[in-house]
Amino acid sequence: MNDHIRFDRDALELHLLDQRLLPGEEADFVCRTPDEVITALQTMVVRGAPAIGVAAAWGCALAVSRTGDGDGWRERLDAALEAIADARPTAVNLRWAVERMRACRRAAGDVDRPALLELFLREARTMQDEDVAACKRLGRFGADCLEDGDTVLTHCNAGALATAGYGTALGVIRAAVEQGKRIRVIADETRPFLQGARLTAWELHQDGIPVTVACDNACALLMQKGLVQRVVVGADRIAANGDAANKIGTFGVALLARHFGIPFYVAAPLSTIDPQTADGTAIPIEERPAGEVTHAGGRRVTPEDVPVYNFAFDVTPAALISGIITEAGVLRPPYGPAVRAALDEAATEARP
């Protein structure tokens, strides 16, 4: 699946499959302005670090198209790009994508707005295609970490919907299935937004890959019963030392996996690694609206005036991670040197 992020060049519209409505309804959320892209990012129309980055890149192109030709259009564009970069705090791919578009702009020099728009459109398209290719490469590396007959536990949705296509954690599972391995999946429901129950199960069911949904608090029992052989999750930001931020609850899954001796893998493209963040304590953790916890299906499920915690992410320490699966291969401890080497090699290959 790679049509959930589509850009109409003629109409200058970004079409996003509205993930808030799945699995019951498949409908597009159409963005014509950078503000509408920001709304889509903040309200979870589109989510998942790589998908957020791709959507942000297209949002930068929309920002160029909407600045107008009058005096000050460059300053208005600067403000719009910064607003996109600030839309959500945890997923590093968001600012990474905006900075890449800014670098494209600097390389072009003092071009006019139509020329810059064309450059941004090409760069966004390139970034989207690169993400799909990266997911397929990391999927092939990750497939070697799975054995025929494994049942893999996932947390949140790190599939095609969370990327430009194919997926990270689910990309590993898809690649293993393509190799002929018999893989089953247990999808944690992932409260409170239910990305596992709604999105992971939907994707895998469409692909014909056996999937069972489990309550988040069943994880320990499932492992104790021997029903889980591997855990593979995605990430929204990986620090320079290998600490990985992912959907809230991931840290607990990693602790249980360590207790039961189950390998715990993080699958993410190199763009999700933030070498400027030394360790997980420096990763900003987004707090989302209380209504996601206090209400379910439009109905209140908690007493009024009782506060809630709704942290969207937690950080899994590198010491609990068996391997970080990237398009450059599976990084192994110690992660500091492994991360530096992978990023340095990627930078060398990217130089003209």
Side-chain angles (χ1 to χ4, degrees):
M1 178 184 10
N2 57 9
D3 59 350
H4 57 292
I5 302 175
R6 295 180 292 106
F7 195 85
D8 185 331
R9 284 182 61 111
D10 294 330
L12 291 178
E13 294 176 346
L14 176 62
H15 292 248
L16 300 169
L17 179 63
D18 193 337
Q19 297 184 32
R20 300 170 302 180
L21 306 178
L22 293 172
E25 180 182 351
E26 297 180 35
D28 280 354
F29 184 95
V30 180
C31 303
R32 300 178 180 87
T33 68
D35 285 344
E36 289 171 339
V37 173
I38 291 170
T39 296
L41 293 169
Q42 293 177 338
T43 62
M44 306 282 272
V45 169
V46 60
R47 25 69 49 208
I52 286 172
V54 171
W58 289 117
C60 292
L62 289 177
V64 177
S65 74
R66 292 288 177 164
T67 54
D69 289 317
D71 291 342
W73 73 266
R74 292 176 177 83
E75 290 75 17
R76 291 193 294 275
L77 175 60
D78 288 336
L81 297 187
E82 188 59 26
I84 293 170
D86 284 340
R88 293 186 67 185
T90 302
V92 72
N93 300 64
L94 177 54
R95 184 165 289 274
W96 168 84
V98 175
E99 292 302 328
R100 178 162 164 174
M101 300 301 273
R102 284 173 168 157
C104 176
R105 178 184 177 187
R106 288 193 297 271
D110 190 22
V111 298
D112 60 18
R113 193 173 64 85
L116 184 61
L117 175 60
E118 184 59 31
L119 286 172
F120 271 27
L121 290 171
R122 286 205 301 267
E123 189 71 6
R125 180 72 260 172
T126 296
M127 291 169 69
Q128 185 162 348
D129 292 343
E130 285 177 354
D131 185 71
V132 175
C135 286
K136 290 184 175 181
R137 285 197 300 273
L138 76 81
R140 290 193 291 271
F141 284 118
D144 293 336
C145 299
L146 306 185
E147 300 291 337
D148 183 35
D150 276 352
T151 293
V152 179
L153 180 80
T154 67
H155 191 78
C156 195
N157 171 260
L161 292 170
T163 65
Y166 202 72
T168 53
L170 296 196
V172 170
I173 291 163
R174 287 188 169 102
V177 170
E178 289 165 7
Q179 290 179 359
K181 294 177 180 176
R182 295 163 298 170
I183 303 295
R184 303 183 66 86
V185 178
I186 297 174
D188 276 353
E189 58 182 348
T190 321
R191 290 183 181 274
F193 208 68
L194 301 176
Q195 293 97 321
R198 295 189 305 106
L199 307 180
T200 296
W202 181 75
E203 281 195 39
L204 295 176
H205 186 62
Q206 284 199 325
D207 284 355
I209 296 173
V211 58
T212 301
V213 174
C215 295
D216 293 350
N217 52 12
C219 185
L221 179 64
L222 295 170
M223 291 183 177
Q224 186 182 53
K225 284 181 170 292
L227 298 178
V228 177
Q229 284 74 54
R230 300 286 189 279
V231 178
V232 184
V233 300
D236 286 77
R237 186 185 304 219
I238 299 173
N241 73 333
D243 293 349
N246 193 50
K247 189 55 56 184
I248 190 71
T250 304
F251 182 20
V253 173
L255 287 168
L256 288 168
R258 173 58 57 90
H259 176 78
F260 288 105
I262 297 170
F264 178 96
Y265 293 98
V266 172
L270 293 176
S271 58
T272 301
I273 298 175
D274 180 8
Q276 305 307 314
T277 297
D279 58 47
T281 63
I283 297 176
I285 301 299
E286 178 181 4
E287 292 189 59
R288 293 195 52 77
E292 293 179 356
V293 175
T294 61
H295 289 71
R299 296 185 62 183
R300 175 173 282 278
V301 295
T302 65
E304 291 200 37
D305 301 323
V306 173
V308 302
Y309 290 119
N310 190 18
F311 295 103
F313 304 93
D314 58 23
V315 177
T316 299
L320 297 178
I321 300 172
S322 304
I324 299 174
I325 303 167
T326 77
E327 69 270 33
V330 181
L331 309 186
R332 302 285 185 177
Y335 288 114
V339 164
R340 285 194 300 273
L343 293 178
D344 287 348
E345 183 177 351
T348 299
E349 292 176 355
R351 293 191 188 107

